[in-house]
Amino acid sequence: MKNEKTELLKGTLDLLILKTISYEPMNGWGISKRIEQISGKKFCVRQGSLYPCLHRLEAQGWISSKWGASEKNRKAKFYKLTQHGQKQLDKEMEDWRHFTGTVELILQMC
Amino acid sequence: MSNENNTLIKLTNINKVFLTDDMETRALSGVDMHIDNGEFMAINGPSGCGKSTMLSIIGLLDTPTSGEYTLNGRDVASLSASERARIRNKEVGFIFQSFNLIGDLSVYENVELPLTYRGTKSSARKELVMEALEKVDMGHRMKHMPSQLSGGQQQRVAVARALAGKPQILLADEPTGNLDSKNGEAVMDLLKNLNDEGATLCIVTHDERYSTYATRSVHLFDGQLVDGDGVMAGV
Amino acid sequence: MFERSRLIIVLKALFQSSRTEDELDEEMRFHLKMETEANVKKGMDLKAAHQAALRSFGGIEQRKEDCREAWGVRVITNLLHEFCLSLRRLFRRPVQNGLMFATFAVSVMLSTLSWSLFHTMFLRQPEFDPKGEYLVLNYVGGVIGASRSSNGEMEAYKEGQKVFSDFAEVGFYNSPTIQLPGGAERVLAANLSARALQIVGAKPLMGRLFRPEEDKRGSAPVALLSQHMWENSYDRDPSIVGKIMDIGSDQVTIVGVMPADFRFPNDQDLWLSYGFYDWGPDAMVKLKPGVTREQAESNLKVILDGLGPDSPANRRGLTPALIPFRDYYLPSEIRVSALVLFALSLIFVVVSCANAANLMLIDFLGRRAEVATSLALGIPRGASIRNVCFQVTMIAMGAVLLSIALLPVAGPFLYDHIDVNLEPYWLNYHFEWHYVGMAFALAGVSAAVTVSAPMVYLLWVDPDKVIREHAYTSRGTGRTLWRRLLLIGQITLLTVLGVSAGLLVRSSYNVGENTWGYPADRVFVGKISAREIEFTVEEPLGSVQRLAIYRRVLDQVTQRLETEAVALAHFSPGYSSGPNITYALGQEEIGEAFNSQVTEGFFDTLGVPFVEGNTLPRENPDDGPVYGVINESLAQKIWPSQDPLQRVLYIRFSGAPASAPSIPIVVCGVVRDFQVSGPVARNNDFILTPLMPRSFVRPGQFIFVRDRIGVPNVRSIRDAVHRADSRLSFYFPSTLGRVIDIMLSSMHMTANLTTVFAAAAVLLCSIGVYSLTVTQVLQSSREFGIRMALGTEPQRLWVHFTCGHLLTTLIGVLIGLFGASQVARVFSPLLFGVDPYSVSTYAMVAFTILLVATLACIPSFFRLRRINPAKCLRSL
């Protein structure tokens, strides 16, 4: 059974998470759904691997977490971007654009 | 990540050459094999046919001289020694011929050993250890020292040790080799039960009798697979 | 920011672990619930929805673990757990770990003690001068005896010096007899100048300190009492200040009482003003910045030279010297011994490290299968290495704690056995924190060395290979060669150490009374001094008067005591420092010897037998030849195979002016050799001459008494002396044995310490030999099992094993004996009265080692009996 969804490139998950929560604090499930939704279900975040990633980002100080109530009034852990994380996001977005731009350039020229 | 055809282990064209003094010994030549999730695989063969080398390679104790090895969809042939150790610790359970329990640790501590280095909480560890010991029916002996146990009991503890970490696959190298036939059968029954509960097993034995416990068996002769379930042997 | 957020997470996970775990669990369950609900919305039934959610999540436990890994807590919790595991395993191997503990404890203990000794003798500063800024002005060189300055010289130094920023005269030792309310008593005193009291920061308990004008000679004498004396002898008299005490014929005013914590220079009872001192003062001086000791000494020498050749110091050929306080009290031999011992103890630490590393490595190789199993189970090498490190560290730390706990007992014990003569209180043992530091440092180094061997093994070991070896080959038979070599090495070392220690110990006990040539314990010695007698008469009449008084003393003692013999001499064996004359036959000087004036009964009193001739004449006429008694070896040297009696030789005092004529001596007797000079003196030749007025009879003689019963009553001798002349004082009562003991203290220190070190070395090496033997049995148990299965009885097997073992030991012993003979040749100058190739010592050591080796085999017998041949065969 060949999976239609594209595996995420290594390292891009960080970027996507940071970007996703840059607008509002979100819980883990929300983040995974949002990424799936926006990508038109093109991207599949293996749900299990999302959490280690979140915890790592938190340990690095880029995001912070707080317990809050979800839309159905359930207790959920919400993640939000820190100032440090904002800087990191800007940097990673810059890097990403630079990277894709270069790849695109090569694809066009050759 | 997807597991094609539910395959856990896939060996492709594995060769292993030992260089001893000025002699070149071919332990394995061009072995292709796979083990699926939930299978009970037996590798048979006479002494010196390369069975143990094969098991060492499957268990990531040794690296093949050439060939491809994917475990759970991941290429593991080219990993570093410490990465291999981590995989061994998490995904492979070993059962040795001579039990290899550690003499100055109690039964409980022996089973706990592989879990020690995973950072599991001690309460969680205790649960896992007790669960494994109950499975092999040795829960009542957890405070004993290995020297106080019979061979069969020791091997059961060794099985529990292999089980405790909830590995993807259990590897057993002549698990009955040091046991009399009664104890040997008991251990094989235990392994069979584990398989029925969903564990994947691969054992190496030169004793044809025990092959019947397996769901599938392959035959190794002079480093080559000579028959087996749909596996081509490069004769 | 970065690190803080991580730190918070780590701390939270560590100290609120259950809460953190719960939160993690809750977070994941929330996710699964949401996913399940979403699946249900898609139309799945609840069970399928839940399973699909689980599948897409992929193993909750695994994910949790990944999260924990992301926190970075794993490292810490793992370490904690590993530590606990190592701790538990420590007690599961009591023998091996106990031996290692003993090894560490012995070496750490000894080296910490040696460090303490080294520190005391080379680095410690007195409490009253913590920076070590002050030096003692004293004299060195000269002929014999007192190297004390005179008051006049001290004044000249004080006035003329340009090199000191501080100069305070002191008389460190004075021992007057004073009249106390409870009767006459001889007390320990010191004379201090006003400045000296200021330097050491003295504060009186009551009254006042000395004033500078009281430093002047001829000023009214004043005294300060110690609190102890004020309380015990004056009953805490509140009006003590201003009272008068009698010292001899002087009236001394008490001006104050010093508190109990004032101890300078030692535990004095009484301090007297410096003006009341005439016995040869010292000075405490502080160098000006930038002035070296050598410069200061040469400045003093210039001043001394300016005083002319007749000043007392110049007459005796003395040179002014500046000595640190510590060196002033410690004989240089003792300090050298301390240095040697400290170096020795460091070597010792190295040896014990090697020993512990041996134990560790051997044990480790014995556990190869276990190590391989751990590695095969995916336990990281780091964890195995840490396990070893934890184990060794804990053992080492245990050893340190034990050593520190034993220090308060072992320290004073050691210092007591060093017997430093006249040792001031601040050179006694007392605890200092850096001893602990040193113990930890030494244990740390030892532990590091010890773990290095298994560490290297662990880093290189190939788990697969070991597993393979363990599972498929029988082992333990072919690998004995290197173990044999190790054993041989240990035995060799043990033999060398044993022989060296044996020789040194024998040598040190040889310097006892037996080699002195007379029964020193039976000879009583005391000093009678004429210091209090007013010798106003000019020489040579003074000598005549003194001689008459001394003759009276001899007569009185002979009359009043049951004496066998009694004699006077200006020297006492043990107090003299070596040759003081050169002798010649014609013009040419032949060699050096010792000379003193003695009365005719001297040889009888000491019990030294005559070989030829007679003792000195009672009255040597002033106009006739001077007679002399010489020792046997000297006679042999000067007149080989000739009769020495009535022959003439010429003596000349070392350091005498060249113009002085040499004195002819007629030999009247030859006595057996005896140790006339110090214990380590090589040259014990002597030419003893009679007490006669023609040569200067010194004020102050040693009196020797040999009683018929044993050691005579001190009181009756004192009575006899006082009866002869009431102005004579009698002091330092002792036996010659005791005097010699004090003289020998440094030799004994070396001997005692060598004994301790040798015992420890034997202990350590025995541990090594024992462990090697036992391990060999353990390692070869499979081989033994097979042999037993083939029908060999355990007893025969044991004999076979023991023979092989003893053969190995014998080889080691033989190599060791050869090595020891080479080592002994090197230190033979240190040996006294022992042949460096003494057969008995070598044989004794070899025998002891073979005995230890045999004893070490006994436990293996029981191990052998426990081997189950069937089991060995099955595991083949």
Side-chain angles (χ1 to χ4, degrees):
Chain A
M1 140 185 121
K2 190 82 188 156
N3 207 319
E4 290 294 320
K5 295 178 184 176
T6 319
E7 276 287 330
L8 274 173
L9 268 169
K10 235 183 187 168
T12 51
L13 185 57
D14 285 10
L15 177 60
L16 293 183
I17 291 173
L18 290 176
K19 184 70 192 166
T20 314
I21 61 169
S22 65
Y23 301 108
E24 52 170 338
M26 290 178 88
N27 59 50
W29 188 75
I31 295 169
S32 76
K33 288 296 130 186
R34 176 68 64 86
I35 292 174
E36 237 175 84
Q37 220 173 16
I38 295 181
S39 70
K41 302 203 175 177
K42 288 263 169 50
F43 283 162
C44 135
V45 180
R46 193 176 153 105
Q47 298 174 1
S49 58
L50 183 71
Y51 287 93
C53 202
L54 282 169
H55 283 257
R56 185 166 44 77
L57 291 174
E58 191 183 359
Q60 275 167 327
W62 293 338
I63 63 179
S64 62
S65 67
K66 214 165 110 185
W67 286 91
S70 74
E71 60 263 45
K72 284 181 183 165
N73 228 357
R74 282 202 186 102
K75 203 178 156 204
K77 200 175 180 185
F78 285 87
Y79 293 90
K80 96 175 206 273
L81 207 60
T82 63
Q83 276 184 348
H84 211 81
Q86 185 61 52
K87 272 185 218 147
Q88 181 67 19
L89 174 62
D90 293 345
K91 187 178 159 285
E92 286 203 7
M93 270 161 64
E94 181 63 30
D95 287 352
W96 177 256
R97 291 205 176 105
H98 186 75
F99 172 71
T100 47
T102 314
V103 173
E104 185 63 25
L105 195 69
I106 294 167
L107 292 180
Q108 282 174 2
M109 301 296 281
C110 299
Chain B
M1 231 200 288
S2 62
N3 297 332
E4 279 183 29
N5 302 330
N6 204 24
T7 304
L8 183 64
I9 282 171
K10 187 164 164 51
L11 300 172
T12 319
N13 198 22
I14 293 289
N15 288 291
K16 180 72 187 179
V17 180
F18 287 113
L19 291 168
T20 44
D21 298 334
D22 42 23
M23 221 173 57
E24 199 184 280
T25 317
R26 257 189 127 67
L28 294 172
S29 49
V31 171
D32 294 310
M33 199 182 81
H34 67 88
I35 300 173
D36 291 343
N37 269 322
E39 256 190 322
F40 188 164
M41 167 72 106
I43 303 173
N44 296 315
S47 287
C49 66
K51 292 172 307 202
S52 294
T53 310
M54 180 104 162
L55 202 71
S56 294
I57 289 173
I58 294 175
L60 293 167
L61 270 177
D62 210 347
T63 46
T65 314
S66 67
E68 262 181 47
Y69 176 17
T70 37
L71 173 69
N72 218 352
R74 183 174 176 197
D75 180 22
V76 289
S78 54
L79 292 178
S80 75
S82 58
E83 277 176 308
R84 279 191 286 134
R86 273 187 52 178
I87 294 177
R88 269 206 305 276
N89 187 231
K90 278 192 183 172
E91 315 206 356
V92 181
F94 261 106
I95 302 162
F96 303 98
Q97 176 181 10
S98 43
F99 329 138
N100 286 0
L101 295 180
I102 291 171
D104 54 357
L105 293 182
S106 69
V107 163
Y108 178 87
E109 286 163 342
N110 259 294
V111 177
E112 191 191 25
L113 197 63
L115 299 174
T116 308
Y117 302 97
R118 291 197 189 176
T120 331
K121 260 178 35 174
S122 70
S123 58
R125 255 198 324 259
K126 182 160 187 186
E127 239 166 70
L128 289 170
V129 171
M130 288 316 295
E131 190 189 325
L133 279 173
E134 289 304 335
K135 257 189 199 158
V136 300
D137 201 20
M138 287 295 293
H140 57 297
R141 292 287 165 90
M142 65 179 208
K143 293 239 167 76
H144 285 58
M145 300 305 278
S147 55
Q148 296 167 302
L149 303 177
S150 73
Q153 286 173 321
Q154 287 193 35
Q155 191 59 301
R156 294 227 294 271
V157 174
V159 171
R161 179 173 67 186
L163 275 178
K166 297 200 180 296
Q168 301 269 16
I169 184 164
L170 278 178
L171 300 180
D173 189 355
E174 303 271 9
T176 57
N178 282 0
L179 300 174
D180 54 38
S181 63
K182 188 167 148 267
N183 273 316
E185 271 165 33
V187 167
M188 289 309 290
D189 282 335
L190 175 64
L191 293 180
K192 182 76 192 151
N193 285 342
L194 292 173
N195 178 239
D196 291 343
E197 286 169 28
T200 312
L201 282 112
C202 176
I203 70 163
V204 155
T205 175
H206 66 273
D207 197 332
E208 291 286 345
R209 278 180 303 162
Y210 296 127
S211 308
T212 54
Y213 286 88
T215 51
R216 190 160 66 98
S217 65
V218 294
H219 221 87
L220 204 59
F221 189 75
D222 274 352
Q224 295 177 320
L225 287 182
V226 287
D227 60 355
D229 196 14
V231 179
M232 282 305 294
V235 181
Chain C
M1 176 74 204
F2 240 24
E3 295 312 317
R4 222 186 69 205
S5 57
R6 163 147 286 168
L7 192 69
I8 290 168
I9 288 177
V10 167
L11 289 178
K12 227 174 110 183
L14 270 182
F15 295 105
Q16 303 189 322
S17 63
S18 59
R19 207 178 119 197
T20 323
E21 285 286 325
D22 290 348
E23 283 184 4
L24 184 62
D25 193 57
E26 197 171 341
E27 186 180 12
M28 290 189 172
R29 265 193 291 129
F30 170 76
H31 183 109
L32 285 175
K33 222 179 271 171
M34 296 301 281
E35 184 73 16
T36 311
E37 276 174 25
N39 285 344
V40 169
K41 264 187 200 157
K42 279 183 204 158
M44 293 185 193
D45 70 73
L46 195 64
K47 201 180 167 196
H50 184 67
Q51 262 172 359
L54 268 178
R55 211 173 20 249
S56 69
F57 198 81
I60 296 183
E61 273 308 315
Q62 302 258 308
R63 293 309 140 221
K64 275 190 188 170
E65 222 163 84
D66 291 341
C67 289
R68 286 182 207 117
E69 211 166 314
W71 300 338
V73 198
R74 267 176 60 127
V75 184
I76 297 163
T77 50
N78 276 6
L79 275 180
L80 274 175
H81 183 75
E82 279 173 28
F83 183 76
C84 296
L85 201 68
S86 307
L87 194 67
R88 261 181 289 164
R89 295 185 71 173
L90 210 56
F91 296 98
R92 301 265 166 86
R93 289 176 167 268
V95 175
Q96 187 237 332
N97 289 326
L99 287 178
M100 199 184 291
F101 179 76
T103 308
F104 275 142
V106 167
S107 76
V108 169
M109 180 86 230
L110 281 181
S111 39
T112 308
L113 281 176
S114 324
W115 161 248
S116 143
L117 212 56
F118 177 80
H119 176 261
T120 302
M121 300 212 169
F122 287 91
L123 302 170
R124 188 180 283 170
Q125 301 296 354
E127 271 163 34
F128 47 81
D129 177 26
K131 285 189 201 146
E133 291 169 321
Y134 285 88
L135 300 166
V136 178
L137 199 172
N138 202 276
Y139 282 123
V140 291
V143 190
I144 341 168
S147 52
R148 294 195 163 272
S149 45
S150 74
N151 292 52
E153 283 158 10
M154 199 50 81
E155 262 163 50
Y157 293 141
K158 191 175 182 181
E159 297 310 317
Q161 60 89 9
K162 295 181 195 67
V163 285
F164 305 124
S165 58
D166 207 343
F167 192 105
E169 303 95 324
V170 280
F172 282 124
Y173 177 78
N174 191 357
S175 178
T177 309
I178 58 173
Q179 286 297 325
L180 291 169
E185 203 176 308
R186 196 169 168 166
V187 296
L188 182 63
N191 290 61
L192 302 179
S193 57
R195 177 63 196 149
L197 280 169
Q198 238 173 30
I199 290 171
V200 299
K203 297 233 162 38
L205 190 68
M206 52 200 287
R208 61 164 176 94
L209 298 176
F210 299 146
R211 297 189 177 126
E213 61 266 25
E214 285 158 353
D215 294 349
K216 301 255 163 31
R217 283 171 68 72
S219 61
V222 288
L224 287 163
L225 294 184
S226 70
Q227 190 178 350
H228 176 84
M229 192 163 160
W230 174 57
E231 285 173 359
N232 290 288
S233 303
Y234 286 95
D235 209 13
R236 303 179 69 98
D237 182 356
S239 57
I240 185 78
V241 175
K243 292 223 161 131
I244 305 287
M245 64 162 44
D246 290 331
I247 300 182
S249 53
D250 292 292
Q251 306 238 303
V252 180
T253 315
I254 297 167
V255 294
V257 176
M258 298 306 290
D261 62 357
F262 180 71
R263 308 166 88 185
F264 176 80
N266 204 356
D267 288 317
Q268 250 73 10
D269 302 308
L270 185 69
W271 294 270
L272 297 165
S273 54
Y274 175 71
F276 184 55
Y277 191 62
D278 55 358
W279 195 41
D282 294 307
M284 287 172 77
V285 295
K286 184 175 169 183
L287 293 175
K288 277 184 183 163
V291 176
T292 65
R293 237 157 85 182
E294 289 71 27
Q295 286 166 345
E297 280 171 355
S298 58
N299 176 259
L300 292 173
K301 179 80 182 133
V302 169
I303 297 171
L304 179 63
D305 289 345
L307 293 177
D310 284 340
S311 83
N314 280 337
R315 266 212 314 267
R316 283 181 289 163
L318 300 173
T319 320
L322 297 168
I323 308 163
F325 262 97
R326 208 178 31 242
D327 304 8
Y328 180 72
Y329 286 104
L330 293 171
S332 59
E333 310 95 80
I334 285 191
R335 305 180 72 220
V336 170
S337 309
L339 190 65
V340 169
L341 274 165
F342 186 57
L344 238 162
S345 77
L346 289 184
I347 297 174
F348 212 70
V349 169
V350 174
V351 171
S352 73
C353 279
N355 216 325
N358 260 345
L359 275 170
M360 199 73 213
L361 189 66
I362 288 168
D363 173 61
F364 221 75
L365 292 176
R367 297 194 298 177
R368 259 148 66 243
E370 181 190 305
V371 174
T373 311
S374 309
L375 290 173
L377 291 173
I379 288 160
R381 272 161 214 252
S384 300
I385 292 175
R386 280 195 297 275
N387 180 24
V388 176
C389 292
F390 279 143
Q391 259 192 54
V392 175
T393 311
M394 278 185 280
I395 291 174
M397 288 307 117
V400 170
L401 293 181
L402 181 74
S403 308
I404 293 169
L406 285 179
L407 267 185
V409 183
F413 178 80
L414 178 75
Y415 280 60
D416 276 356
H417 279 72
I418 296 167
D419 267 346
V420 178
N421 194 19
L422 290 177
E423 176 185 286
Y425 72 95
W426 50 272
L427 286 176
N428 283 332
Y429 173 81
H430 50 82
F431 177 79
E432 300 206 27
W433 277 105
H434 58 81
Y435 297 170
V436 176
M438 193 65 183
F440 271 103
L442 285 167
V445 171
S446 310
V449 172
T450 306
V451 294
S452 62
M455 205 118 108
V456 169
Y457 174 76
L458 266 175
L459 286 173
W460 290 99
V461 70
D462 177 352
D464 188 39
K465 209 170 144 213
V466 178
I467 283 272
R468 215 182 276 281
E469 264 177 35
H470 179 68
Y472 303 115
T473 60
S474 73
R475 63 204 169 79
T477 47
R479 236 172 287 271
T480 49
L481 181 67
W482 71 266
R483 225 172 286 128
R484 287 244 156 90
L485 288 177
L486 244 170
L487 188 63
I488 290 177
Q490 288 258 2
I491 296 281
T492 306
L493 191 69
L494 181 58
T495 315
V496 173
L497 279 173
V499 170
S500 314
L503 289 175
L504 279 174
V505 169
R506 276 190 61 183
S507 144
S508 67
Y509 289 111
N510 258 344
V511 198
E513 61 200 59
N514 292 336
T515 51
W516 282 74
Y518 53 84
D521 271 336
R522 283 196 56 206
V523 180
F524 172 87
V525 64
K527 191 153 189 195
I528 48 177
S529 167
R531 192 166 92 80
E532 276 87 5
I533 304 180
E534 303 276 327
F535 284 110
T536 48
V537 191
E538 287 299 312
E539 301 294 339
L541 210 57
S543 286
V544 174
Q545 279 191 354
R546 276 174 221 140
L547 194 58
I549 294 171
Y550 291 140
R551 281 288 171 203
R552 273 213 302 279
V553 170
L554 284 187
D555 293 342
Q556 281 292 333
V557 172
T558 320
Q559 276 173 30
R560 303 183 66 83
L561 274 86
E562 291 277 298
T563 50
E564 216 165 272
V566 58
L568 290 174
H570 182 63
F571 87 109
S572 164
Y575 285 150
S576 62
S577 55
N580 59 339
I581 53 166
T582 55
Y583 57 87
L585 274 184
Q587 284 303 311
E588 206 183 326
E589 285 178 356
I590 302 176
E592 288 188 313
F594 175 77
N595 165 261
S596 174
Q597 300 170 359
V598 299
T599 57
E600 68 284 353
F602 181 77
F603 306 100
D604 235 17
T605 315
L606 259 62
V608 183
F610 274 85
V611 180
E612 269 181 285
N614 290 310
T615 187
L616 300 164
R618 185 184 153 94
E619 309 229 342
N620 197 96
D622 262 6
D623 45 0
V626 177
Y627 287 100
V629 169
I630 63 174
N631 64 312
E632 203 177 354
S633 308
L634 185 66
Q636 282 288 322
K637 225 181 283 173
I638 308 177
W639 301 286
S641 65
Q642 288 177 44
D643 185 11
L645 292 182
Q646 301 306 319
R647 287 180 190 271
V648 179
L649 56 87
Y650 297 88
I651 63 166
R652 169 195 282 278
F653 284 92
S654 326
S659 56
S662 49
I663 307 157
I665 304 283
V666 178
V667 176
C668 66
V670 178
V671 290
R672 191 76 52 76
D673 288 353
F674 71 95
Q675 296 282 315
V676 73
S677 299
V680 279
R682 300 277 135 189
N683 184 353
N684 274 300
D685 292 336
F686 54 82
I687 301 162
L688 299 182
T689 48
L691 219 60
M692 52 192 283
R694 188 172 78 183
S695 51
F696 173 64
V697 175
R698 292 172 214 244
Q701 298 283 332
F702 283 95
I703 180 167
F704 300 88
V705 179
R706 193 139 67 97
D707 200 88
R708 260 183 251 285
I709 315 153
V711 177
N713 187 340
V714 177
R715 210 199 167 103
S716 45
I717 297 180
R718 192 191 300 268
D719 280 353
V721 170
H722 282 157
R723 209 166 275 269
D725 194 307
S726 58
R727 295 164 305 175
L728 279 174
S729 70
F730 172 81
Y731 50 96
F732 292 157
S734 181
T735 63
L736 258 187
R738 175 68 194 141
V739 171
I740 292 163
D741 274 352
I742 293 173
M743 262 335 263
L744 290 178
S745 59
S746 73
M747 289 291 280
H748 282 161
M749 168 196 172
T750 319
N752 287 329
L753 291 187
T754 315
T755 315
V756 172
F757 270 70
V762 169
L763 179 72
L764 282 191
C765 286
S766 303
I767 288 174
V769 172
Y770 166 80
S771 67
L772 278 165
T773 318
V774 170
T775 334
Q776 194 162 348
V777 176
L778 285 179
Q779 299 268 304
S780 320
S781 60
R782 191 180 295 235
E783 181 198 330
F784 289 141
I786 297 165
R787 281 172 190 260
M788 276 194 237
L790 294 176
T792 320
E793 296 156 33
Q795 286 86 339
R796 280 187 57 190
L797 210 53
W798 183 71
V799 170
H800 172 82
F801 170 78
T802 307
C803 285
H805 185 73
L806 285 182
L807 191 70
T808 316
T809 311
L810 196 64
I811 295 172
V813 167
L814 289 178
I815 301 175
L817 288 180
F818 176 73
S821 67
Q822 298 304 305
V823 173
R825 210 182 51 185
V826 174
F827 68 75
S828 60
L830 289 176
L831 294 178
F832 186 88
V834 183
D835 179 12
Y837 307 108
S838 144
V839 176
S840 56
T841 309
Y842 283 60
M844 189 71 190
V845 170
F847 174 76
T848 313
I849 292 170
L850 286 172
L851 190 71
V852 168
T854 317
L855 288 179
C857 286
I858 289 175
S860 61
F861 178 67
F862 297 100
R863 280 186 190 277
L864 265 175
R865 294 192 64 138
R866 261 185 281 152
I867 291 173
N868 180 351
K871 230 180 188 172
C872 291
L873 279 187
R874 214 187 311 138
S875 64
L876 198 61

